């Protein structure tokens, strides 16, 4: 049973560039959430996708956008990269949006470094 | 709305017990507990729901005081493998976003 998979593992970009991160949810899960984790901090919620729509959004600018595909996989796009966007980006999947109290399962993350 | 955890850090010897607390300023619908080892993804430990339902691991227990908007994670007879950073995560309602707590670093030494 494959867990949550994210790609790429590491990525180096320069300021102003754009990046796309990818996530495949755990088998049987239909909801994907994205988190940003700065070094030494807890994960911060970016947004959640369910039924190919953004259902919830945290306090992140419009430079952060996403998409969910019919097979439940998801992408996180970040435009006009800033030095402060350097972080570990985590994808979490679950069955349902949280209304049923289901746990989230996390991927290993993508380490994004901005030079 | 970020939950506050205490203590920030704790060092234990193998076999000792520990309690990690999570406190929210808002009424809670659910509390999740995760452990994250350095350089790895958070791993689900326990979920507690308003009304008393719990889902999680056999060797870890937790409590959820809805009136005080607090949860506690109980680690007994700690093992070296328990080392890591523990995060609580909360939802104020079924439709609210998920907030991770401030984190508690736990180190178990021989």
């Amino acid at each position: 049973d494959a867990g949550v998979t994210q790609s790429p593992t590491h990525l180096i970009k320069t300021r102003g560039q754009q990046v796309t991160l990818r996530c495949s949810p755990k088998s049987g899960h239909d909801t994907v959430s994205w988190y940003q984790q700065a070094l030494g901090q807890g994960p911060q919620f970016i947004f959640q996708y369910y039924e190919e729509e953004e259902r919830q959004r945290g306090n992140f600018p419009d430079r952060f956008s996403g998409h969910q595909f019919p097979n439940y996989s998801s992408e996180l796009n970040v435009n006009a990269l800033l030095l402060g966007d350097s972080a570990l980006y985590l994808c979490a999947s679950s069955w349902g949006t949280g209304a049923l109290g289901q746990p989230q399962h996390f991927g290993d993350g993508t380490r994004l470094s901005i030079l | 709305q970020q939950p506050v955890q205490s203590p920030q850090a704790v060092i234990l010897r193998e076999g000792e017990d520990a309690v990690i607390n999570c406190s929210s300023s808002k009424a809670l619908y659910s509390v999740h507990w995760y452990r994250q080892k350095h350089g790895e993804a958070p791993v689900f430990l326990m979920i507690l729901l308003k009304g008393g339902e719990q889902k999680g691991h056999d060797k870890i227990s937790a409590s959820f005081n809805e009136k005080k908007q607090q949860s506690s994670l109980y680690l007994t007879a700690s093992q070296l493998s328990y080392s890591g950073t523990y995060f609580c995560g909360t939802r104020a309602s079924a439709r609210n976003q998920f907030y991770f707590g401030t984190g508690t670093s736990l180190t178990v030494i021989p």
Side-chain angles (χ1 to χ4, degrees):
Chain A
D1 181 21
V4 180
T5 58
Q6 291 186 243
S7 63
T9 306
H10 294 88
L11 205 50
I12 299 174
K13 293 285 187 179
T14 57
R15 280 180 295 176
Q17 285 189 311
Q18 178 264 343
V19 69
T20 297
L21 310 182
R22 295 177 176 82
C23 172
S24 292
K26 181 179 169 67
S27 177
H29 287 182
D30 58 6
T31 302
V32 173
S33 299
W34 286 92
Y35 293 84
Q36 180 194 65
Q37 186 174 26
L39 204 59
Q41 305 292 319
Q44 299 293 315
F45 175 75
I46 302 175
F47 42 54
Q48 180 190 74
Y49 277 84
Y50 172 70
E51 292 186 334
E52 301 180 50
E53 290 187 11
E54 182 182 294
R55 298 292 178 165
Q56 296 175 357
R57 188 179 183 92
N59 189 25
F60 279 79
D62 293 344
R63 299 187 296 109
F64 289 78
S65 63
H67 190 76
Q68 185 180 37
F69 299 94
N71 66 353
Y72 307 120
S73 67
S74 177
E75 288 182 349
L76 164 65
N77 300 293
V78 187
N79 294 323
L81 287 166
L82 304 173
L83 292 177
D85 294 333
S86 293
L88 178 69
Y89 287 84
L90 293 164
C91 169
S93 72
S94 60
W95 184 76
T97 58
L100 299 177
Q102 296 300 316
Q104 299 181 86
H105 294 261
F106 284 82
D108 289 335
T110 294
R111 174 72 62 187
L112 176 63
S113 299
I114 311 301
L115 303 179
Chain B
Q1 298 195 21
Q2 182 181 31
V4 177
Q5 293 182 228
S6 63
Q8 284 186 305
V10 59
I11 300 175
L12 300 173
R13 292 199 177 276
E14 268 187 294
E16 291 183 338
D17 301 339
V19 179
I20 301 173
N21 302 301
C22 173
S23 182
S24 173
S25 60
K26 286 188 168 272
L28 297 176
Y29 168 76
S30 66
V31 179
H32 302 218
W33 286 97
Y34 292 85
R35 177 173 59 219
Q36 186 176 30
K37 293 183 181 286
H38 183 69
E40 300 181 8
V43 173
F44 168 75
L45 297 175
M46 173 80 63
I47 182 171
L48 303 103
L49 300 173
K50 187 176 180 179
E53 184 178 353
Q54 292 191 18
K55 305 175 188 177
H57 287 236
D58 294 334
K59 296 185 178 180
I60 296 172
S61 62
S63 64
F64 181 15
N65 188 323
E66 296 170 33
K67 288 184 178 179
K68 292 187 176 181
Q69 298 153 197
Q70 293 176 346
S71 177
S72 295
L73 186 71
Y74 304 96
L75 304 169
T76 56
S78 59
Q79 305 170 17
L80 295 176
S81 62
Y82 286 10
S83 293
T85 301
Y86 288 76
F87 291 101
C88 67
T90 62
R91 289 186 196 277
S93 76
R95 298 190 182 279
N96 272 35
Q97 75 172 70
F98 191 78
Y99 289 94
F100 273 95
T102 50
T104 296
S105 173
L106 186 142
T107 304
V108 181
I109 58 176

